């Protein structure tokens, strides 16, 4: 080959450096299973049987108000062909694994108590977690939400987390897998730095492996979306300063919409202002390995009547579908009644058109995408379709056997 430039070696080396730096900042999507929800339970109400109790109550509501495929499909607006398979899967899920992720809440859902009372609830929670662990009753993911560093609760937050982990270590001799801390109302990069420093010290004093204490950050204020030091939009500074400890970013609907001044009746998950915040989260965190979670629906049945239950289900399912359409595959659930609507919406999402998805992925792996499916898929599309199937299998909407070879 005739080259007009004698050497590209210096350019090649610099290009490789840019690639490596980019790879460190954007390692790709998160690995492993992502839960479809996080169930928040106030600390004083948590017991070793709470996840199973949520499932039993959710299954009772399901069987009471949607005893068959027809009533189930009507309640959740499903295609009649999907209603039967989805209901069967939802009932099985509620019986076997109703809660995929639980967060024992010492923040807004718990409120402000005096130190003696909160210390007593920390002790109570330790015993409940230890008992659940010993009978394999902890969900796949679990953890604590501590008080915010933003509004003066920092000393109580550190005391609660320290007390919990110390007592649990003494009780079990180890930290059960799947543990995650929720760090709420993040507004300042400095708060993240200080929380990371606290976790470093805690690990050292408890004899835990360095970096084992990881956390999810809650985006609940407009300030969290801005890097005020650099005067730019983005959340990547939080991730950088967390030094690999941030696993997820969760959107807080009600604090965020209240901070914007929205009237109470407009403080809802599907408000356009929330879409704006979620899109910033997506653009800022894509490729960083940090998962995204949507917030909660605060509508629950006031009683066991069919009108109340079905109205709550309709509102919650609509919000779940809105989240899924925007690429948020996880959200918060606050009540047992949210579990049937969560799984109904998620399973219907995954099962709708799934045969076509499987066919396209298989065709790609067989090197016949254009012929077999009638669609010339790009590699990025196949990656997204495969991720969709993986999510469906992880949450119980599909069986592992449906995954194409190599997928």
């Amino acid at each position: 080959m005739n080259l007009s430039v004698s050497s590209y070696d210096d350019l090649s080396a610099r290009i490789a450096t840019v690639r490596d730096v980019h790879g460190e900042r954007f390692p790709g999507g998160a690995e492993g299973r992502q839960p479809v929800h996080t169930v928040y339970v106030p600390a004083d109400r948590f017991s070793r049987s709470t996840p199973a109790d949520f499932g039993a109550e959710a299954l009772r509501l399901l069987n009471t108000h949607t005893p068959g495929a027809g009533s189930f499909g009507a309640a959740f607006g499903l295609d009649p062909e999907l209603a039967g398979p989805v209901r069967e899967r939802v009932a099985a899920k509620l019986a076997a694994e109703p809660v995929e992720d639980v967060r024992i809440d010492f923040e807004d859902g718990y409120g402000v108590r005096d130190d003696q009372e909160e210390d007593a609830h920390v002790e109570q929670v330790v015993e409940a977690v230890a008992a659940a662990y010993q009978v394999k009753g902890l969900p796949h993911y679990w953890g604590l939400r501590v008080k915010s560093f933003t509004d003066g609760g920092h000393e109580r937050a550190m005391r609660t987390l320290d007390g919990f982990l110390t007592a649990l270590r003494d009780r079990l001799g180890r930290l059960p897998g799947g543990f995650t801390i929720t760090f709420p109302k993040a507004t300042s990069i400095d708060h993240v730095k200080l929380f990371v420093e606290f976790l470093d010290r805690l690990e050292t004093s408890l004899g835990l492996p360095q970096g084992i204490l990881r956390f999810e950050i809650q985006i609940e204020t407009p300030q969290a979306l801005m890097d005020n030091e650099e005067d730019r939009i983005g959340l990547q500074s939080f991730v950088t300063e967390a030094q690999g400890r941030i696993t997820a970013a969760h959107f807080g609907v009600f604090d965020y919409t209240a901070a914007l001044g929205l009237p109470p009746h407009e403080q809802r998950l599907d408000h356009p202002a929330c879409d704006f915040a979620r899109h910033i989260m997506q653009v800022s965190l894509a490729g960083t390995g940090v998962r995204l979670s949507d917030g909660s629906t605060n509508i629950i049945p006031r009683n066991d009547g069919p009108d109340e239950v079905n109205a709550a289900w309709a509102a919650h399912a609509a919000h779940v579908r809105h989240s899924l359409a925007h690429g948020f595959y996880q959200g918060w659930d606050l009540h047992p009644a949210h579990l049937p609507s969560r799984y109904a919406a998620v399973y219907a999402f995954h099962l709708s058109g799934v045969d076509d998805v499987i066919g396209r992925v298989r065709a790609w792996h067989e090197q016949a995408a254009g012929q077999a499916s009638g669609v010339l898929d790009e590699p990025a599309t196949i990656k997204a379709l495969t991720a969709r199937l993986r999510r469906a299998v992880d949450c119980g909407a599909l069986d592992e056997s449906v995954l194409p070879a190599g997928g």
Side-chain angles (χ1 to χ4, degrees), residues 1 6 11 25 36 111 136 143 163 167 187 221 223 226 272 299 324 334 341 402:
M1 184 168 59
S6 60
L11 295 177
R25 292 183 62 193
V36 301
K136 299 183 178 180
T187 57
T221 67
Q223 292 80 18
M226 298 290 296
I299 299 171
L324 292 169
L334 308 177
S341 41
V402 307

Coordinates of all heavy atoms in Angstrom, one line a residue, residues 1 6 11 25 36 111 136 143 163 167 187 221 223 226 272 299 324 334 341 402:
M1 N 0.9 -1.2 0.0 CA 0.0 0.0 0.0 C 0.9 1.2 0.0 O 1.8 1.3 0.8 CB -0.9 0.0 1.2 CG -1.9 1.1 1.3 SD -3.2 0.9 2.5 CE -2.2 0.8 4.0
S6 N 4.6 9.0 6.4 CA 5.6 8.0 6.7 C 5.2 7.1 7.9 O 5.5 5.9 8.0 CB 6.9 8.6 7.0 OG 6.8 9.5 8.1
L11 N -0.4 8.8 16.1 CA -1.8 8.9 16.1 C -2.5 7.6 16.6 O -3.5 7.7 17.4 CB -2.3 9.2 14.7 CG -1.9 10.5 14.0 CD1 -2.4 10.6 12.6 CD2 -2.4 11.7 14.9
R25 N -14.7 5.0 31.5 CA -15.9 5.8 31.9 C -17.2 5.1 31.5 O -18.2 5.2 32.2 CB -15.8 7.1 31.3 CG -14.7 8.0 31.8 CD -14.8 9.4 31.1 NE -16.0 10.1 31.5 CZ -16.5 11.2 30.9 NH1 -15.8 11.7 29.8 NH2 -17.6 11.8 31.2
V36 N -37.4 -6.3 38.8 CA -38.4 -5.6 38.2 C -39.0 -4.5 39.1 O -39.6 -3.5 38.6 CB -39.6 -6.4 37.6 CG1 -39.1 -7.5 36.7 CG2 -40.3 -7.1 38.8
G111 N -40.0 7.9 58.9 CA -40.1 9.2 59.6 C -39.0 9.4 60.6 O -38.0 8.7 60.7
K136 N -33.9 -19.0 54.2 CA -33.9 -18.6 52.8 C -35.1 -17.8 52.4 O -35.7 -18.0 51.4 CB -33.8 -19.9 51.9 CG -32.5 -20.7 52.2 CD -32.4 -21.9 51.2 CE -31.1 -22.6 51.5 NZ -30.9 -23.8 50.6
G143 N -32.0 -4.7 51.3 CA -31.1 -3.7 51.9 C -31.8 -2.7 52.7 O -33.0 -2.8 53.0
G163 N -24.8 0.6 63.1 CA -25.5 -0.3 64.1 C -26.0 -1.6 63.5 O -25.9 -2.7 64.0
A167 N -24.3 -5.3 64.2 CA -25.1 -6.3 64.9 C -25.4 -7.5 64.0 O -25.4 -8.6 64.4 CB -26.5 -5.7 65.3
T187 N -28.1 15.7 46.4 CA -28.0 17.0 45.8 C -26.6 17.4 45.5 O -26.4 18.3 44.6 CB -28.7 18.0 46.7 OG1 -28.1 18.1 47.9 CG2 -30.2 17.7 46.9
T221 N -34.3 15.5 43.4 CA -34.3 17.0 43.3 C -33.8 17.4 42.0 O -33.0 16.8 41.3 CB -33.4 17.5 44.4 OG1 -32.0 17.2 44.1 CG2 -33.7 17.0 45.8
Q223 N -31.7 19.7 41.5 CA -30.2 19.9 41.7 C -29.4 18.7 41.4 O -28.3 18.8 40.9 CB -29.9 20.4 43.1 CG -30.4 21.8 43.4 CD -31.9 21.8 43.8 OE1 -32.5 20.7 44.1 NE2 -32.6 22.9 43.7
M226 N -28.0 18.4 37.8 CA -27.0 19.4 37.4 C -25.7 19.2 38.1 O -25.7 18.9 39.3 CB -27.5 20.8 37.6 CG -28.8 21.1 36.9 SD -28.6 21.3 35.1 CE -27.5 22.7 35.0
P272 N -45.1 14.9 32.2 CA -44.0 15.2 31.3 C -42.7 15.7 32.0 O -41.6 15.4 31.5 CB -44.6 16.3 30.4 CG -46.1 16.0 30.4 CD -46.4 15.5 31.8
I299 N -51.1 5.4 44.7 CA -52.5 5.0 44.7 C -52.6 3.6 45.2 O -52.0 2.7 44.5 CB -53.2 5.2 43.3 CG1 -53.1 6.7 42.9 CG2 -54.6 4.7 43.4 CD1 -53.5 6.9 41.5
L324 N -42.0 1.2 31.3 CA -41.4 0.2 30.3 C -41.2 0.8 29.0 O -40.2 0.6 28.3 CB -42.3 -1.0 30.3 CG -42.4 -1.9 31.5 CD1 -43.5 -2.9 31.4 CD2 -41.1 -2.6 31.8
L334 N -45.2 -0.2 46.8 CA -45.4 0.2 48.2 C -46.4 -0.6 48.9 O -46.6 -0.5 50.1 CB -45.8 1.7 48.2 CG -44.9 2.7 47.5 CD1 -45.5 4.1 47.6 CD2 -43.5 2.6 48.0
S341 N -50.5 -6.0 39.7 CA -50.5 -5.1 38.5 C -49.0 -4.9 38.0 O -48.8 -4.8 36.8 CB -51.0 -3.7 38.9 OG -50.7 -3.3 40.2
V402 N -36.4 -20.9 26.1 CA -36.8 -20.1 24.9 C -35.6 -19.3 24.4 O -35.6 -18.9 23.2 CB -37.9 -19.2 25.2 CG1 -39.1 -19.9 25.8 CG2 -37.5 -18.0 26.1

